[in-house]
Amino acid sequence: MTQSLAQSETVVLLVEDDRDDFFLTQDVLQCVPNHKYSVVWAGSYERANFELLERSYDVALVDYRIGERTGLEFIREAGRRFPDTPMILLTGVIDPHIDRAAEEAGAADFLEKGAITPELLDRSIRYAIKNARRRAILDAVLSNSAAGIVALDRSGVPILWNKQALRALAIEPEAVAAVTSGNVSEGLAKIRSDGRLPEQFAAATGEVFETGIGTVPSDGQVIVFHEITHRIRAEELLRKSVAEAEAANMAKSSFLATMSHELRTPMNGILGMARVLANTPLDHEQGAYLDTIRVSGESLLGIINDVLDLSKIEAGHMEIENVEYRVGDLVNDVTRLLAPTARAKGIDLAAFVDPQLAGSTRGDPLRVRQIITNLIGNAIKFTEEGGVTLSVDAIESGGAHQLRIRVNDTGIGIPEGKRDRLFKRFSQVDASTTRMHGGTGLGLALCREFVSLMGGHIDCDSTPGAGSTFVVLLPLSGADAPDRSRTRQLSGWRMALIGREGPLANVIRAYAASSGATMDLLACGPNVLQRLGPTQSTAIIIDSNAAKSARDEIVRLIAGERGGTPTPFFVIADSVADAGGLDIDPDLLLSRPFGQQAFERICNRLRRRAPTTVARGTIAPAAGPQRSLKVLLAEDNEPNQRVARAILRGAGYSIDVASNGHKAIELVGQKPYDVVLMDVNMPSMDGLEATQQIRQTDAGRALPIIGLTASVMDGDRQRCLEAGMNDHLAKPIDWDTLIALLNRMDTEVYGTQALAS
Ligand code: ADP
């Protein structure tokens, strides 16, 4: 059948064994108005088959009788072989069963010969052709569909299906034409379970299909099968890969944990011995070599720690603690540690901690410390002139309190377009500065990870050439609400700073504002005393750098030459030797970096309103005082014992050493120690068990015990606390932190005044 033929004329095969009837029907067709029918006669069953094979017909009119055979038989057989040619049954007899029989055989229509008119025949043929075309289109759609489709009638009998559906139902596709409705029903029954179609099933071929069901208007159903074998395999592969990757990650984490232990233990020896060596007589060249060892060792340790932290975060093993700590103590430790680097570069470093935060705060002090250390470290690294100001306070937004940490520098700044790189791993803003300053590009990435694990936020604001400010916001729990009772403690006082704008002035201004005092900044130089004005209720704070240019006037001031009541004053210097050559009472000396402790000393003094002591004689030597605190170190590793002995003795402490847990218990029973530094991993009896046993004794019940471990596993600190220890320090030991801790204890227990703290 061709489109053009169908439009211009309709070619009809008339299957009729009676010649007269043929002419009769042909005449009827010739009488159809406005359309041309061309009719070919097939007088026998065989001839009709031959004609259909030879050419394509738009329609076949089939008589009910064809010789010995029937038209129904012909339609059933030829209809299957030539589905594109619709067949209409013509009958002379009136039999009520013929209608149904014709439909079952696949006839497009059935007409009674005696009743046909040109219009009736024309309409029947047009409808038959139109339906056949629709059927052809539907077949094409079905056979080209990637999905398998089976349509069921309202009683659930399959009436339509395609090759893909047969594949899903494991019915041989070569035999599509021969497939019956019964075969499809059987196939469906096989995949149904409890009468229901599964959402997904595997066919006998191993292919996996997903099923879907849609309804059709006459209450039937359409079942659709989608082949999803590839998707299922890909999912399985993905699951397997994820499991493998997780296993590999676990293996990596445990490898790193083990390696870290192995790497950190010798680092303890290297850094500790470098420190001990530095206290022995060395010539200039040897001192420089030793310094290189120390700096390289510390930077190697920093890299090891950063990489470990990142791998822990990646493996999801980074646990954030929630313990009580004092922000002021933490800031004090960090700034003290970084002060020598700032001093070496000739830049100033000062820290403000809002007195409202004097109480303890809950959080993860170790991570907060890492964040502040990194931000100040960077600020110092990228600043050549001016200085670095750290400011920590609490702000309120939406009824919730937040801890705000700001690190401001007057360094090279960061161009706006490059700020998005800041917090990415292994990324640096400018490779050339990195060559100059070193660094791995991990620090800020870690800061951001820590901050987000703590539920906070980090951001940076910067002006190239003028400096940068990094701001970290961390949530504060309700219990840590700022203590406003401390805001007016210097009410009525004026602070006169003789110095210049910079971190020190920023911080003293902030402290003055936070405690109800006022602050004036007096530029260094001559006539400073005239510019000072009345000195009543004034505390004079002298930046030792200023003392150099206005030395004489300040000496007069100190000597009380202005007459009247002596004015309280303080000198801020790196050390006694650096106090601008001023001969002053050590009590008046506030060591850099200026921070909370220095401010508290000012407050204590002003509150007592003690008259200022005028200089009297030379200042005590810079060496630390002899301490009273009795320390027991339990540590099996001999080089580490030597390092600890040398450093702690150098800091003025007497120290005994126990080489395992048993010895430690024995010594605690014999001597009244004030603190035990307890290595966790020791032969014969480890530090955890030793602590538990010490806690059982009268002497050890309340004895402060600090655990030391070189491992970086998350649970270490918890295990130490559970065993009864008071605190935990990671190895390699940060000696400055440990000594600061011991100094604080020493002051608390024996009231010793440390010159520099
Ligand atoms: P790095 O170990 O290289 O310092 P960071 O992640 O801490 O790694 O910093 C990434 C980069 O961000 C630095 O290399 C530097 O280019 C830039 N940067 C960080 N802090 C500052 C700052 N205060 N001033 C200028 N540039 C900075």
Side-chain angles (χ1 to χ4, degrees):
M1 179 173 61
T2 65
Q3 193 74 21
S4 60
L5 196 67
Q7 274 165 3
S8 55
E9 63 170 15
T10 303
V11 184
V12 180
L13 177 66
L14 185 50
V15 186
E16 174 63 79
D17 60 352
D18 186 308
R19 191 184 173 81
D20 291 343
D21 279 357
F22 162 69
F23 284 116
L24 207 67
T25 311
Q26 189 183 35
D27 286 349
V28 174
L29 283 173
Q30 305 307 334
C31 292
V32 172
N34 305 324
H35 192 72
K36 184 167 165 34
Y37 280 95
S38 138
V39 185
V40 175
W41 180 34
S44 70
Y45 203 101
E46 293 70 28
R47 181 74 202 174
N49 267 324
F50 174 78
E51 281 298 331
L52 285 172
L53 265 179
E54 279 299 292
R55 63 180 288 191
S56 76
Y57 285 89
D58 294 319
V59 65
L61 303 180
V62 184
D63 187 25
Y64 188 75
R65 288 241 153 264
I66 317 166
E68 295 301 303
R69 311 187 58 182
T70 68
L72 285 173
E73 217 177 316
F74 182 81
I75 290 173
R76 202 171 291 121
E77 279 180 9
R80 198 176 295 145
R81 286 167 58 209
F82 307 102
D84 291 344
T85 306
M87 299 188 184
I88 297 168
L89 186 70
L90 301 179
T91 171
V93 280
I94 315 261
D95 180 342
H97 301 299
I98 288 184
D99 187 1
R100 173 58 62 88
E103 195 191 336
E104 276 172 6
D109 199 358
F110 129 78
L111 297 172
E112 202 188 320
K113 274 189 201 170
I116 55 174
T117 61
E119 290 74 23
L120 183 67
L121 193 54
D122 179 48
R123 193 171 63 228
S124 177
I125 289 173
R126 275 191 288 113
Y127 275 52
I129 292 173
K130 198 165 147 196
N131 284 338
R133 278 187 188 156
R134 278 203 184 136
R135 173 72 200 228
I137 291 169
L138 181 64
D139 283 348
V141 169
L142 285 177
S143 63
N144 284 299
S145 158
I149 295 169
V150 176
L152 308 175
D153 68 12
R154 69 169 69 181
S155 42
V157 175
I159 47 173
L160 202 72
W161 52 85
N162 65 0
K163 207 160 75 183
Q164 288 79 341
L166 299 183
R167 215 174 78 212
L169 298 174
I171 299 170
E172 274 299 303
E174 285 80 30
V176 182
V179 171
T180 63
S181 178
N183 300 141
V184 178
S185 276
E186 266 172 45
L188 285 171
K190 277 189 198 149
I191 60 165
R192 281 190 169 114
S193 80
D194 295 334
R196 295 170 59 119
L197 270 182
E199 285 179 5
Q200 201 175 303
F201 68 94
T205 54
E207 292 168 307
V208 182
F209 291 89
E210 201 173 55
T211 58
I213 297 182
T215 51
V216 281
S218 53
D219 282 353
Q221 269 188 337
V222 177
I223 301 172
V224 184
F225 301 104
H226 291 289
E227 206 234 284
I228 53 164
T229 320
H230 290 301
R231 197 183 87 198
I232 294 286
R233 293 216 177 109
E235 281 171 5
E236 265 166 24
L237 205 68
L238 194 68
R239 264 196 296 280
K240 215 169 126 211
S241 310
V242 168
E244 279 171 7
E246 276 170 0
N249 219 348
M250 292 293 288
K252 185 185 80 180
S253 302
S254 84
F255 169 77
L256 282 174
T258 316
M259 279 309 289
S260 77
H261 185 90
E262 301 302 325
L263 290 171
R264 288 153 72 100
T265 301
M267 284 308 290
N268 197 35
I270 294 169
L271 288 174
M273 268 306 161
R275 192 178 168 118
V276 173
L277 258 185
N279 288 332
T280 61
L282 297 172
D283 65 27
H284 182 70
E285 202 176 357
Q286 289 168 325
Y289 293 157
L290 190 61
D291 212 39
T292 310
I293 293 178
R294 184 186 56 78
V295 171
S296 309
E298 278 167 3
S299 107
L300 177 58
L301 185 62
I303 295 169
I304 293 173
N305 288 340
D306 281 359
V307 170
L308 283 170
D309 279 345
L310 268 184
S311 37
K312 279 213 277 181
I313 289 172
E314 264 180 16
H317 291 164
M318 178 59 72
E319 279 176 15
I320 294 297
E321 286 207 82
N322 190 19
V323 295
E324 286 201 352
Y325 72 102
R326 283 175 193 271
V327 187
D329 291 348
L330 187 148
V331 166
N332 189 45
D333 289 349
V334 173
T335 49
R336 257 171 208 291
L337 206 68
L338 293 171
T341 323
R343 198 178 305 144
K345 284 190 83 175
I347 60 171
D348 210 356
L349 169 66
F352 166 73
V353 177
D354 193 333
Q356 293 185 38
L357 289 168
S360 57
T361 304
R362 286 194 77 80
D364 190 331
L366 190 66
R367 303 304 165 202
V368 174
R369 187 189 161 102
Q370 262 177 288
I371 293 167
I372 299 182
T373 306
N374 198 282
L375 295 181
I376 300 186
N378 277 347
I380 297 174
K381 194 154 82 171
F382 296 102
T383 302
E384 299 304 323
E385 257 177 50
V388 177
T389 312
L390 167 68
S391 153
V392 184
D393 57 6
I395 55 166
E396 202 182 331
S397 84
H401 293 288
Q402 285 182 308
L403 186 71
R404 179 172 63 174
I405 301 166
R406 281 176 296 175
V407 177
N408 168 270
D409 66 56
T410 52
I412 57 172
I414 302 147
E416 185 160 7
K418 297 192 170 171
R419 262 174 245 161
D420 58 335
R421 281 195 225 162
L422 281 178
F423 301 102
K424 292 197 177 132
R425 292 171 187 186
F426 300 106
S427 123
Q428 283 152 337
V429 170
D430 181 350
S432 61
T433 54
T434 305
R435 264 195 302 280
M436 192 156 64
H437 300 291
T440 53
L442 282 178
L444 289 177
L446 264 179
C447 285
R448 197 193 45 190
E449 302 277 3
F450 289 148
V451 168
S452 78
L453 283 172
M454 290 190 269
H457 181 75
I458 181 166
D459 212 346
C460 164
D461 188 21
S462 181
T463 310
S468 315
T469 304
F470 283 80
V471 182
V472 174
L473 293 176
L474 297 174
L476 274 181
S477 72
D480 301 330
D483 170 10
R484 296 192 204 288
S485 66
R486 305 178 69 102
T487 51
R488 316 269 352 136
Q489 53 182 338
L490 289 187
S491 192
W493 280 93
R494 172 169 80 119
M495 295 188 167
L497 172 67
I498 300 179
R500 59 176 173 226
E501 276 301 350
L504 185 62
N506 294 342
V507 163
I508 292 180
R509 198 176 282 121
Y511 273 120
S514 70
S515 53
T518 56
M519 190 201 95
D520 289 334
L521 175 65
L522 300 168
C524 324
N527 304 326
V528 67
L529 292 188
Q530 277 70 40
R531 285 185 276 125
L532 189 60
T535 53
Q536 248 171 351
S537 299
T538 297
I540 300 173
I541 303 169
I542 302 159
D543 184 344
S544 67
N545 300 326
K548 286 166 197 149
S549 57
R551 188 177 179 282
D552 293 345
E553 292 195 57
I554 290 164
V555 166
R556 271 195 289 135
L557 175 79
I558 294 168
E561 281 181 16
R562 276 175 62 89
T565 44
T567 307
F569 74 92
F570 306 88
V571 176
I572 298 169
D574 288 329
S575 64
V576 176
D578 179 50
L582 298 170
D583 191 11
I584 52 164
D585 188 323
D587 232 19
L588 303 174
L589 188 76
L590 304 175
S591 65
R592 269 186 238 276
F594 188 89
Q596 192 187 37
Q597 282 190 349
F599 175 69
E600 271 167 12
R601 283 181 59 197
I602 295 179
C603 286
N604 290 340
R605 198 169 182 93
L606 296 190
R607 275 202 299 264
R608 279 190 272 124
R609 295 219 174 198
T612 309
T613 326
V614 178
R616 36 172 173 69
T618 324
I619 293 153
Q626 202 52 42
R627 306 285 180 168
S628 314
L629 205 70
K630 287 173 279 303
V631 183
L632 171 63
L633 171 74
E635 161 69 88
D636 62 308
N637 181 300
E638 261 184 52
N640 284 349
Q641 290 175 359
R642 278 203 298 279
V643 169
R645 253 201 209 103
I647 292 177
L648 294 183
R649 282 187 185 151
Y653 288 95
S654 70
I655 166 169
D656 290 342
V657 175
S659 56
N660 61 43
H662 291 297
K663 292 251 170 61
I665 298 170
E666 202 179 302
L667 283 174
V668 167
Q670 290 167 1
K671 251 173 110 172
Y673 291 101
D674 296 306
V675 59
V676 181
L677 305 176
M678 181 76 81
D679 186 25
V680 170
N681 297 313
M682 286 186 292
S684 128
M685 182 192 281
D686 70 15
L688 299 174
E689 198 182 334
T691 304
Q692 280 162 351
Q693 294 204 16
I694 288 175
R695 288 287 180 241
Q696 309 295 320
T697 66
D698 284 342
R701 199 152 292 133
L703 179 60
I705 302 178
I706 297 166
L708 308 173
T709 63
S711 153
V712 288
M713 296 311 285
D714 296 326
D716 276 345
R717 185 184 162 80
Q718 198 50 36
R719 284 195 302 137
C720 287
L721 298 182
E722 277 165 13
M725 295 185 185
N726 301 72
D727 208 341
H728 162 270
L729 285 177
K731 282 184 181 176
I733 296 166
D734 177 347
W735 294 104
D736 289 318
T737 305
L738 179 60
I739 290 170
L741 180 75
L742 294 179
N743 288 353
R744 274 203 295 278
M745 292 174 78
D746 190 51
T747 310
E748 275 165 27
V749 179
Y750 296 100
T752 312
Q753 277 300 315
L755 173 68
S757 58

